[in-house]
Amino acid sequence: MGRIPRTHLIVLIRLIARTTPADRWKCEILPLRNGFAGMTPETREHWLELDSTVYSVEAVAKTAYRLADVGVFQIEHSSTGQLRVVIQKCSAGDTMECYAHLKREFLTELTDQLLRERIAVQTEARRNLILAHAYSSSSLSGS
Amino acid sequence: MHTPHQALADRSPFKGKFSGPSAFVDKLQAYRLLPFDFERLDGDRYFLTNMAGEFVLASRPELQQIVDCSLSPVDRLYAELKAKHFIESGNSLAAPELLAVKVRTKADFIRRFTALHMFVVTLRCDHSCQYCQVSRQSEDRIAFDMSKDTAAAALDFTFKSPSPQIKIEFQGGESLLNFDLIRFIVEEAEARNSICGKDLQFVAASNLVPLSDEILSFAEGRPFYFSTSLDGPRDLHNRNRPRPGGDSHNFARTGIKRVRDRLGIARVSALMTTTADSLARATDIVDEYLDAGFTGLFLRPLSPYGFAIKTRQYYNYQVDQWLEFYKSALSYIIRLNESGVRFQEYYTALILRKMLTPHPTGYVDLQNPSGIGISAIVFNYNGKVFASDEARMLAEMDDERFALGNLTQNTYEEIMLSPNLVDPIQVSVLESVPMCSDCAFRPYCGSDPVFHYATTGDFVGHKKFSPFCRRHMGMFKHIIGLMESSASTRELFEAWAWN
């Protein structure tokens, strides 16, 4: 995925299932029509800035998806090109503690997503080989 | 760290004469990862599964070590990870080949294809259960009976299945109210099977009210089984399952006894449905099943179809409340087993079979790809074919999204390749579903596109808000916790899995 135009801030991450593993996660970037109109000054304070050379948009989006029941997240590029996650709503309550807890949860889950990415990259060829073999009648060793 | 290998080396009579195990590790032959997924259980504990569903528990630092490929062959986890095909080393293809065989074994239900064929022989029913998933009709509405022509066409379809096992299940309404048709179907199926030679079985889903000596005589000497409803003690069962004249419970218990006395104990099984009234009665329900002579029960939540929706029964409790009910009943069942009473919870046993054995299960709800159509299929009384019993229930609510065709108008190929079947199966394959695609519980779970369509309007839904996902995640984590916390429970669960 190329660099996201700054004018196209992510409002919603629409995760579209694909039937092939390679592109099973696709982030669709939708333009933000109303700017920050829906956000109060308070919610704008709850955000995380992430180094975009360390964290992929996919990993951040997957994290937001997994935590969708406890918070509403807006993912955008900051003016310096970093990834920014704004916590628009914390389901557990509108308190500093809740937002702080949610930030920690987000970072913990994000770290797990990075690990998942590493495993997926390292094992993709093996996964395809195993699936092909499992669902065919041939043998890998030819025996 | 003092490893078991080192402890052994310390006690060895050759101590000092040989180097320790670590000296023999080929540093150039570092291991590589095989595909696996992981899930955080709580805090620092992680649950890892390989592609075949074998699992390993690890701490966060251990998980990091695994992925960094920095585990040493003398580390505690190394042997387990290698034996279970989470990692491989050397140039051999043995590990991926063995793993592929395991994956293939788990997916064997796809090769076997449709085994369960449900014949809705009538919609008539004398009961008026508030949670009924079918839009039943009153007893005198024979317009809702299946005809012999339709039944014959359904049998033609059934015997086209490549499955070596064929189970014909009679559904309703109350199936035994149309016993003449059941007799016709059974005799016709037996005649066709004399040529096909398949493993043929019959099951009548029934409240057992119409059970007669004639029916029992017919079932005798045949692989003909009865499946009934038993919701719990008399007051609970009768409240859930009202009928004219009342006392459905008495009919169920008497019917169970009559079947057993005449045909044998294994010829009748029972299912319970959890209503809001059941939630505080977990031990009473288990006791009722024990009292009725059963050696297990299936704790089944309400489904979002039919009268359960119309009467809003489905909304009367939340997933978390059902999970508490489930945990309470399971805890009681474990205590019973510890005191010497042999009793299973079948839902748990199904999951354990997926977790602890290499075998697949025939349970359609927990299949991936979804088992709709390809594991079980439904012939409605009017000849319409549906992808599952739940799909038929949805159609009774005027939504025919999973209607696959009509027995009198469509061929086998047209029905089995219907977009109404292929699309939901394809779209809901868990490997391509957000969140499921990297979930460690995926090998144990199912996709259930009918449930998600009924509750969210699409085949997948958002898993974070899916009652299906929440329920099963809760069950998986609870079962793992129980196995971790007690060696005797682990032993008991092993027995359930292999039974």
Side-chain angles (χ1 to χ4, degrees):
Chain A
M1 181 177 291
R3 182 181 161 80
I4 303 166
R6 226 180 261 178
T7 52
H8 283 58
L9 300 173
I10 303 170
V11 179
L12 296 168
I13 303 300
R14 186 180 297 169
L15 300 162
I16 301 170
R18 293 281 185 261
T19 51
T20 55
D23 62 351
R24 64 191 176 190
W25 287 85
K26 182 182 177 185
C27 295
E28 186 168 292
I29 314 304
L30 301 177
L32 180 68
R33 288 185 185 162
N34 300 317
F36 293 104
M39 298 176 63
T40 63
E42 290 72 28
T43 56
R44 289 228 56 202
E45 289 174 8
H46 303 295
W47 52 272
L48 294 159
E49 187 147 302
L50 304 165
D51 187 336
S52 57
T53 62
V54 176
Y55 302 100
S56 68
V57 173
E58 284 81 0
V60 176
K62 283 184 177 185
T63 302
Y65 195 93
R66 272 185 172 249
L67 297 177
D69 60 334
V70 290
V72 176
F73 306 95
Q74 174 173 305
I75 306 167
E76 59 186 49
H77 271 291
S78 70
S79 56
T80 56
Q82 303 300 337
L83 281 169
R84 179 180 289 166
V85 179
V86 181
I87 305 174
Q88 284 199 329
K89 185 184 172 191
C90 182
S91 305
D94 193 24
T95 64
M96 291 301 287
E97 291 74 26
C98 290
Y99 282 97
H101 175 75
L102 194 48
K103 281 183 192 175
R104 285 195 298 274
E105 274 293 299
F106 197 97
L107 288 172
T108 305
E109 181 57 40
L110 182 57
T111 313
D112 284 351
Q113 288 297 344
L114 287 189
L115 222 46
R116 290 190 176 98
E117 272 188 352
R118 283 181 59 195
I119 296 167
V121 168
Q122 284 187 51
T123 62
E124 186 180 357
R126 274 291 192 252
R127 180 185 295 273
N128 291 339
L129 184 71
I130 291 162
L131 285 174
H133 179 46
Y135 292 101
S136 75
S137 55
S138 62
S139 161
L140 285 183
S141 59
S143 57
Chain B
M1 184 186 289
H2 202 65
T3 68
H5 293 92
Q6 285 166 326
L8 197 64
D10 288 346
R11 290 200 302 272
S12 167
F14 301 111
K15 188 184 173 197
K17 295 178 180 171
F18 295 99
S19 301
S22 59
F24 297 94
V25 175
D26 185 348
K27 300 285 190 300
L28 297 175
Q29 287 209 355
Y31 68 85
R32 298 179 301 278
L33 300 182
L34 286 167
F36 70 88
D37 292 298
F38 64 85
E39 208 66 38
R40 186 157 40 113
L41 292 177
D42 50 58
D44 187 40
R45 293 183 321 136
Y46 281 75
F47 182 77
L48 287 58
T49 52
N50 70 9
M51 292 174 78
E54 289 165 298
F55 66 86
V56 169
L57 288 154
S59 66
R60 186 62 170 78
E62 285 172 330
L63 173 62
Q64 188 71 50
Q65 264 192 303
I66 295 167
V67 179
D68 289 343
C69 292
S70 60
L71 275 183
S72 161
V74 295
D75 284 335
R76 180 186 70 84
L77 271 174
Y78 186 92
E80 187 179 4
L81 289 166
K82 197 158 186 187
K84 291 181 175 173
H85 300 115
F86 284 73
I87 59 175
E88 62 173 337
S89 62
N91 296 319
S92 168
L93 280 173
E97 179 138 14
L98 284 168
L99 191 49
V101 170
K102 290 177 183 176
V103 173
R104 188 193 308 205
T105 305
K106 286 274 186 185
D108 190 49
F109 72 94
I110 301 171
R111 187 179 56 81
R112 289 199 307 251
F113 219 61
T114 321
L116 178 59
H117 296 77
M118 286 174 266
F119 287 57
V120 181
V121 291
T122 181
L123 286 190
R124 288 182 289 147
C125 188
D126 60 330
H127 279 58
S128 50
C129 311
Q130 291 294 297
Y131 60 63
C132 182
Q133 293 153 13
V134 184
S135 300
R136 74 223 158 219
Q137 302 294 329
S138 59
E139 279 187 81
D140 56 350
R141 304 282 297 276
I142 58 169
F144 296 97
D145 282 6
M146 182 182 270
S147 70
K148 281 188 177 178
D149 286 346
T150 302
L155 283 170
D156 289 343
F157 189 101
T158 299
F159 280 91
K160 283 180 180 155
S161 170
S163 174
Q165 282 103 29
I166 296 289
K167 184 186 276 186
I168 293 177
E169 183 172 300
F170 302 110
Q171 280 281 356
E174 167 47 48
S175 66
L176 295 184
L177 288 177
N178 197 5
F179 179 67
D180 285 346
L181 187 75
I182 290 178
R183 181 198 298 274
F184 169 79
I185 293 168
V186 170
E187 289 174 348
E188 273 289 308
E190 285 172 344
R192 291 165 196 236
N193 200 45
S194 62
I195 300 163
C196 301
K198 292 178 186 268
D199 176 7
L200 184 62
Q201 265 190 18
F202 305 96
V203 180
S206 169
N207 57 39
L208 299 181
V209 174
L211 187 69
S212 64
D213 287 337
E214 181 196 1
I215 294 171
L216 288 170
S217 297
F218 181 76
E220 203 164 19
R222 289 188 159 90
F224 193 108
Y225 296 81
F226 294 87
S227 173
T228 194
S229 294
L230 183 61
D231 279 3
R234 169 169 279 131
D235 65 308
L236 178 61
H237 181 100
N238 286 342
R239 194 157 56 246
N240 284 351
R241 301 178 61 78
R243 63 177 296 278
D247 214 358
S248 169
H249 178 267
N250 183 44
F251 280 101
R253 289 292 298 263
T254 307
I256 290 166
K257 185 172 185 316
R258 285 179 73 191
V259 174
R260 285 184 178 151
D261 289 348
R262 182 76 179 269
L263 306 175
I265 195 154
R267 289 290 200 97
V268 61
S269 60
L271 275 174
M272 63 79 64
T273 302
T274 313
T275 61
D277 290 332
S278 315
L279 296 175
R281 308 285 298 274
T283 54
D284 292 344
I285 293 166
V286 174
D287 285 341
E288 174 71 19
Y289 271 72
L290 276 171
D291 188 56
F294 288 108
T295 53
L297 91 169
F298 196 116
L299 295 170
R300 188 172 63 153
L302 275 172
S303 299
Y305 313 100
F307 278 86
I309 292 291
K310 283 184 189 171
T311 61
R312 304 194 65 75
Q313 283 277 320
Y314 178 71
Y315 305 105
N316 281 354
Y317 61 85
Q318 302 296 313
V319 175
D320 290 345
Q321 291 172 280
W322 185 85
L323 277 171
E324 285 309 309
F325 164 77
Y326 164 78
K327 289 174 186 175
S328 167
L330 188 58
S331 164
Y332 181 54
I333 290 168
I334 291 168
R335 289 203 303 277
L336 282 173
N337 279 275
E338 285 169 350
S339 67
V341 179
R342 187 172 151 260
F343 197 85
Q344 276 192 30
E345 199 288 298
Y346 295 132
Y347 206 160
T348 309
L350 273 169
I351 292 168
L352 288 167
R353 188 172 166 84
K354 284 172 163 255
M355 282 182 166
L356 302 173
T357 83
H359 305 298
T361 71
Y363 187 54
V364 176
D365 290 6
L366 288 183
Q367 283 185 350
N368 172 43
S370 169
I372 58 169
I374 61 175
S375 284
I377 198 160
V378 178
F379 310 120
N380 208 5
Y381 70 97
N382 55 6
K384 285 188 177 176
V385 183
F386 291 101
S388 70
D389 207 23
E390 291 76 13
R392 189 248 309 194
M393 296 162 185
L394 207 58
E396 297 292 346
M397 299 162 71
D398 300 322
D399 189 335
E400 298 209 338
R401 184 66 187 81
F402 297 93
L404 309 183
N406 194 298
L407 288 166
T408 57
Q409 294 160 17
N410 300 104
T411 65
Y412 182 85
E413 288 74 16
E414 284 170 346
I415 288 170
M416 295 310 293
L417 294 173
S418 161
N420 282 3
L421 179 60
V422 176
D423 290 354
I425 291 176
Q426 183 182 1
V427 167
S428 65
V429 169
L430 296 184
E431 281 76 4
S432 67
V433 167
M435 224 174 91
C436 301
S437 63
D438 51 22
C439 177
F441 299 122
R442 189 178 65 249
Y444 316 136
C445 207
S447 54
D448 209 339
V450 184
F451 177 92
H452 288 102
Y453 176 81
T455 52
T456 70
D458 74 57
F459 301 135
V460 172
H462 192 311
K463 299 303 178 191
K464 228 24 198 182
F465 302 101
S466 160
F468 181 92
C469 179
R470 193 174 182 82
R471 169 157 47 98
H472 288 104
M473 281 271 209
M475 291 176 77
F476 299 145
K477 288 180 179 177
H478 186 63
I479 290 168
I480 293 160
L482 288 173
M483 282 196 286
E484 268 192 289
S485 63
S486 158
S488 64
T489 302
R490 167 82 190 212
E491 199 176 322
L492 174 70
F493 282 5
E494 290 269 3
W496 287 8
W498 288 94
N499 191 357

